[in-house]
Amino acid sequence: MTRKLLFLAALLSGPATASPPKLLPLPSHVTEHRGAFRLSPSEAIRVPPRDQGAASAARYLATLLRSSNGLDLKVRQGSGAIRFVRARGFAPEGYAVASDPHGLTVSASSDAGLLYGAVTAWQLASGDEPNVIPVVAIRDAPRFRWRGLMLDSARHFQSPAFVKSMIDWMAWHKLNVLHWHLTDDQGWRLEIKKYPRLTSVAAERVPATAGARKPPVYGGFYTQAEVRDIVAYAKSRHIQVIPEIDMPGHAQATVAAYPKLGSMTGPTPPVSSSWGVHTYLFNIEPATFRFLEDVLDEVMAVFPSQYIHVGGDEAVKDQWKSSPLVQARARALGITDPEALQVWFTQQIGRYLVQHGRRLVGWDEILQPGLSSDAIVMSWRGATGAHSAAIAGNDTVLSPWPTLYFDNRQSALASEPPGRTRVISLEDVYRFEPRDPTLSEAQQKHVLGLQANIWTEHIRTEDRVEWMTLPRAAAVAEVGWTKPERKDWKGFLQRLAPTMARYRALGLHYADSVFAIDGRVFVEADGVRASLANQASFGAIRYTTDGHDPAPQSPQYSQPLKLPLGTELRAATFADSERVSSVWRRKLDADSIARRSSRELHLCTDGVGLLLEPDAFGTAPRPLMALDIMNPCWIYRGVDLTQGARLTAAAGKLPFNFEIGADAQKIRVGDARTAEGELEVRIDGCEGEPAVVQPLAPLPDNALVMTLPAVTLPARPGRHDVCLRFARPRLDPMWALDWVEIRQ
């Protein structure tokens, strides 16, 4: 029987009864039939002669299978059970995958389609049963043409090797745009040969600390050779790299290197070590535009992207208003409104880019009367910018805060790394819908897609970039690729489990927050009551009390556990027989239950809630402290004060390195009674006279935290909330709690 007849026989045998293949993002059309194709090490991948795109996609599939499945398949033009075929009739990024018991074929019209078909073939081969590909017929194409991530390398620098790694895992998710944020107040990261001080001065900063000693200078930049290599690597994965050179704001690092570009009247600033919205803007002199055009010339020489992002956001106009030079130039131009002056600024840059065959992209602040119709608006202040841009006839990309801002943590668990305390869960991202039903069909075409942003003010390491991005990037991928009527949250979670197995196989430091155990422990008269849950209410939670990690055969949690004091409880989430979360461990003794980290306490307010760690010397672990920088106040809930209690706390100092403008005046300072301030303890409320006032001593040299002397809380019947707040003599530095222990 011929191979074609075998395939038809498999189709006629009817759909399989097994669960469908767990593919992510979910394809447009999947039909599964009985049977399977079993890959062996002797198989080969066949490509058409002289088809470089097909050969590249085939080599990529071979590389993925080698990394995850341990296979070493050869790519050749002769025979092979896996075939790549160039065919007409597919959408620009569309493809088909068809398998039968004897092999698999990937078909597409474009190189990108062939690569995405290769990724789907890899997922089929690395599913529940590695190297076993179900008999399927898949026809697929993306919903949106812009499916992106933004990487902020200005605040914290990532190595070229990491950027390449990120490009790879973007390709695995069929993401196709890497927006690379390369300049900001805290650093300039791109070599510009005509202006060497941009890397000798603007690429380095002295980090802020709360002590007298300063840590080593922090910095880094990408040479043009490194960028060309990264861009070429991305092109081979069909990812467009779009550089961002921020202007007219976020310019402090640039002005530190070349002060004549600035609008300030005072001294030259340093490269900033603070976070927030700064006030340094480029001036509008002809020499400044020549500088920016020179920079853009070198940027365009190393980035072939059709798009160049020029920022345009958070341009506080105070310096423009107070600068005689800027005001004189504005009068000569006949412009009296500072906002109109930024429109004029953007127009000059936009025209220069158009002259060189490029299109300007900017954050939604650029959407003002007079914006050129070829400019692309990236809507970050919600979705209203995208709506207005589409109505105005501008292409737009949805990137709204907070849902697509990945510096927000993924859960409220203490395992989350530094970032903002706001929780943007995997489900929040998955349920984001880019389509605006109020737009006409013609206006809808201006919505190019969506992008999530990885701002790295508080994400200092590459491992943490991965944690904060994965698996939320998988949700972005499915929102951008899969039609909304095919999306299914529970089905996504089922398909996420093998995706996480691939993450592990390829060494990625991903977050398990959606499946991680949220364990709550309560002391009762006859022992301890423990409740277990996970964010998604997914899978089976299994637990042990014998000191061993849970296994698929361990008891399944169904209701709160009554356990004797001293038990060691371990728990994890399982999908079928596979563990999909880390193991949660808790010693249920008096010490463990009494102590809560600042991350386990409740913030009294959430003005600017952050998870922060102090800068320090060496590689020793740093404490991670949760606080609202507008109000250093925490609540320890449900304390039994019937017989009084002893409270012990550990505290450290953090620099107040935040540019928050007039909001800084809202922070209560100057209410301290002593030179270092006091820890005020109140019961059942955070106002009024404190029950205990504990004076603070200076933090020992080089210490990150210190344990404060224990204090006695007065006896009161029943359980009460205990509020802890620092009174402080000045804004900088600020005291923060590391942990609090309250015991009888």
Side-chain angles (χ1 to χ4, degrees):
M1 187 179 287
T2 67
R3 179 171 173 174
K4 184 176 181 180
L5 290 175
L6 284 169
F7 184 42
L8 288 173
L11 294 179
L12 291 172
S13 67
T17 57
S19 61
K22 296 175 181 177
L23 303 174
L24 197 159
L26 186 65
S28 303
H29 303 281
V30 180
T31 304
E32 187 183 12
H33 299 273
R34 297 184 186 280
F37 163 53
R38 296 182 179 274
L39 271 173
S40 71
S42 62
E43 301 289 2
I45 305 175
R46 176 182 173 186
V47 297
R50 296 177 297 280
D51 191 329
Q52 294 301 316
S56 177
R59 287 193 296 270
Y60 194 54
L61 173 59
T63 298
L64 293 173
L65 290 172
R66 187 180 306 115
S67 299
S68 64
N69 294 39
L71 295 176
D72 190 12
L73 306 187
K74 304 302 181 186
V75 176
R76 61 193 184 199
Q77 294 181 7
S79 61
I82 299 176
R83 300 189 306 150
F84 281 77
V85 175
R86 185 78 62 170
R88 295 179 180 179
F90 288 91
E93 295 177 291
Y95 69 91
V97 170
S99 60
D100 63 27
H102 300 280
L104 176 145
T105 300
V106 176
S107 307
S109 303
S110 67
D111 290 352
L114 290 171
L115 182 100
Y116 294 145
V119 169
T120 296
W122 170 55
Q123 291 187 13
L124 290 169
S126 58
D128 294 336
E129 191 175 355
N131 301 329
V132 177
I133 297 175
V135 173
V136 293
I138 297 170
R139 183 90 179 194
D140 199 11
R143 180 186 181 195
F144 289 106
R145 59 188 170 111
W146 189 302
R147 307 177 304 280
L149 296 177
M150 186 222 71
L151 176 64
D152 173 12
S153 296
R155 274 54 176 269
H156 280 101
F157 178 81
Q158 302 87 30
S159 68
F162 175 82
V163 179
K164 283 186 172 183
S165 171
M166 180 174 174
I167 286 167
D168 265 323
W169 51 256
M170 286 180 66
W172 306 338
H173 294 85
K174 302 186 175 78
L175 297 168
N176 66 352
V177 175
L178 173 59
H179 168 186
W180 202 0
H181 187 78
L182 291 166
T183 74
D184 217 298
D185 300 295
Q186 296 81 14
W188 183 287
R189 303 287 174 227
L190 176 64
E191 178 189 29
I192 302 295
K193 294 182 179 180
K194 191 168 184 177
Y195 299 102
R197 287 177 61 84
L198 290 174
T199 46
S200 65
V201 174
E204 295 183 337
R205 66 173 183 262
V206 177
T209 62
R213 289 184 61 194
K214 295 296 181 184
V217 170
Y218 177 88
F221 67 91
Y222 304 97
T223 68
Q224 291 189 9
E226 288 172 331
V227 170
R228 284 191 173 93
D229 181 53
I230 289 168
V231 168
Y233 193 83
K235 183 180 179 181
S236 72
R237 307 296 190 257
H238 300 283
I239 292 172
Q240 184 172 199
V241 184
I242 298 174
E244 181 179 354
I245 308 297
D246 224 330
M247 58 183 86
H250 291 279
Q252 184 168 332
T254 316
V255 171
Y258 293 98
K260 290 184 179 180
L261 301 173
S263 302
M264 70 283 181
T265 55
T268 301
V271 178
S272 181
S273 61
S274 295
W275 314 121
V277 180
H278 294 54
T279 58
Y280 287 90
L281 273 66
F282 291 112
N283 64 43
I284 56 173
E285 291 298 295
T288 298
F289 281 97
R290 284 195 296 273
F291 166 86
L292 293 172
E293 290 169 1
D294 289 341
V295 166
L296 289 172
D297 286 345
E298 295 197 33
V299 169
M300 290 186 286
V302 295
F303 289 98
S305 164
Q306 178 186 359
Y307 310 108
I308 303 293
H309 204 300
V310 299
D313 62 313
E314 299 176 330
V316 179
K317 307 301 189 299
D318 294 354
Q319 289 189 351
W320 276 2
K321 293 175 184 177
S322 61
S323 166
L325 187 68
V326 171
Q327 289 302 307
R329 179 67 60 180
R331 285 193 298 271
L333 294 169
I335 300 174
T336 57
D337 177 17
E339 299 304 324
L341 191 58
Q342 183 175 348
V343 173
W344 175 84
F345 186 107
T346 303
Q347 289 172 335
Q348 308 311 301
I349 298 299
R351 277 195 285 268
Y352 189 78
L353 292 174
V354 168
Q355 290 168 8
H356 290 77
R358 308 300 181 93
R359 292 180 67 183
L360 178 146
V361 186
W363 301 108
D364 57 31
E365 285 93 332
I366 70 170
L367 186 59
Q368 298 288 341
L371 181 68
S372 173
S373 61
D374 62 9
I376 297 173
V377 176
M378 193 162 279
S379 184
W380 75 274
R381 295 177 298 178
T384 55
H387 177 89
S388 300
I391 290 175
N394 287 86
D395 287 344
T396 185
V397 176
L398 283 150
S399 190
W401 180 91
T403 308
L404 296 184
Y405 271 53
F406 286 179
D407 52 340
N408 293 297
R409 60 181 172 165
Q410 298 177 72
S411 75
L413 299 178
S415 55
E416 296 293 340
R420 300 185 182 274
T421 56
R422 179 189 294 269
V423 172
I424 297 296
S425 70
L426 182 65
E427 184 174 2
D428 292 331
V429 178
Y430 189 80
R431 295 195 184 280
F432 173 71
E433 174 48 54
R435 186 178 184 276
D436 183 346
T438 66
L439 296 176
S440 69
E441 184 177 346
Q443 291 164 346
Q444 289 279 2
K445 293 179 180 178
H446 286 295
V447 180
L448 304 181
L450 75 160
Q451 172 180 295
N453 300 324
I454 310 158
W455 297 107
T456 62
E457 289 98 330
H458 311 297
I459 309 175
R460 71 170 73 222
T461 69
E462 295 170 353
D463 276 357
R464 289 176 180 175
V465 171
E466 288 181 348
W467 176 282
M468 298 295 272
T469 310
L470 297 170
R472 288 188 291 193
V476 171
E478 187 142 311
V479 173
W481 186 279
T482 305
K483 290 180 174 59
E485 61 270 19
R486 284 186 56 75
K487 287 175 55 191
D488 170 53
W489 168 239
K490 292 299 183 183
F492 175 80
L493 293 176
Q494 291 284 352
R495 290 179 285 114
L496 184 63
T499 300
M500 286 182 164
R502 295 182 195 103
Y503 293 164
R504 289 193 297 275
L506 295 162
L508 296 179
H509 188 70
Y510 66 93
D512 67 348
S513 310
V514 68
F515 301 139
I517 300 300
D518 182 3
R520 308 292 175 94
V521 179
F522 308 90
V523 178
E524 297 182 338
D526 55 348
V528 176
R529 177 167 55 92
S531 65
L532 305 174
N534 62 44
Q535 190 181 66
S537 300
F538 173 86
I541 296 176
R542 300 191 179 277
Y543 68 93
T544 61
T545 57
D546 61 1
H548 293 91
D549 286 348
Q553 65 272 20
S554 298
Q556 181 172 340
Y557 174 85
S558 60
Q559 61 185 5
L561 305 171
K562 295 281 291 184
L563 299 167
L565 200 64
T567 300
E568 181 180 322
L569 178 60
R570 301 188 186 190
T573 300
F574 287 78
D576 299 323
S577 61
E578 182 176 357
R579 180 162 61 84
V580 292
S581 78
S582 56
V583 176
W584 177 85
R585 299 176 178 86
R586 187 76 179 266
K587 182 74 171 179
L588 305 182
D589 55 21
D591 290 340
S592 171
I593 295 170
R595 179 174 293 194
R596 298 180 190 176
S597 74
S598 62
R599 291 167 283 168
E600 297 169 304
L601 301 174
H602 294 261
L603 297 180
C604 305
T605 53
D606 191 17
V608 183
L610 297 171
L611 295 169
L612 298 174
E613 61 182 353
D615 276 297
F617 307 98
T619 59
R622 301 175 175 93
L624 180 55
M625 306 175 193
L627 78 159
D628 178 359
I629 67 169
M630 303 295 292
N631 180 25
C633 179
W634 300 258
I635 299 173
Y636 189 125
R637 297 200 184 278
V639 180
D640 185 356
L641 292 179
T642 304
Q643 299 179 6
R646 297 279 288 175
L647 183 152
T648 307
K653 282 184 176 180
L654 296 167
F656 190 89
N657 58 323
F658 303 96
E659 298 284 343
I660 57 174
D663 284 344
Q665 303 302 316
K666 301 175 184 178
I667 301 174
R668 189 164 73 181
V669 295
D671 56 343
R673 304 162 181 81
T674 58
E676 289 292 331
E678 301 85 35
L679 176 62
E680 300 176 338
V681 183
R682 295 176 173 85
I683 299 172
D684 294 332
C686 297
E687 300 297 332
E689 286 298 312
V692 177
V693 176
Q694 183 176 44
L696 302 170
L699 199 65
D701 289 344
N702 300 324
L704 300 179
V705 297
M706 66 178 180
T707 302
L708 308 179
V711 296
T712 300
L713 301 181
R716 295 188 183 181
R719 293 187 176 274
H720 301 265
D721 291 345
V722 176
C723 177
L724 302 98
R725 178 190 171 274
F726 288 109
R728 60 209 239 212
R730 62 193 71 85
L731 189 63
D732 183 32
M734 53 186 176
W735 284 97
L737 285 176
D738 183 19
W739 53 263
V740 178
E741 184 177 292
I742 302 180
R743 303 184 62 176
Q744 302 297 320

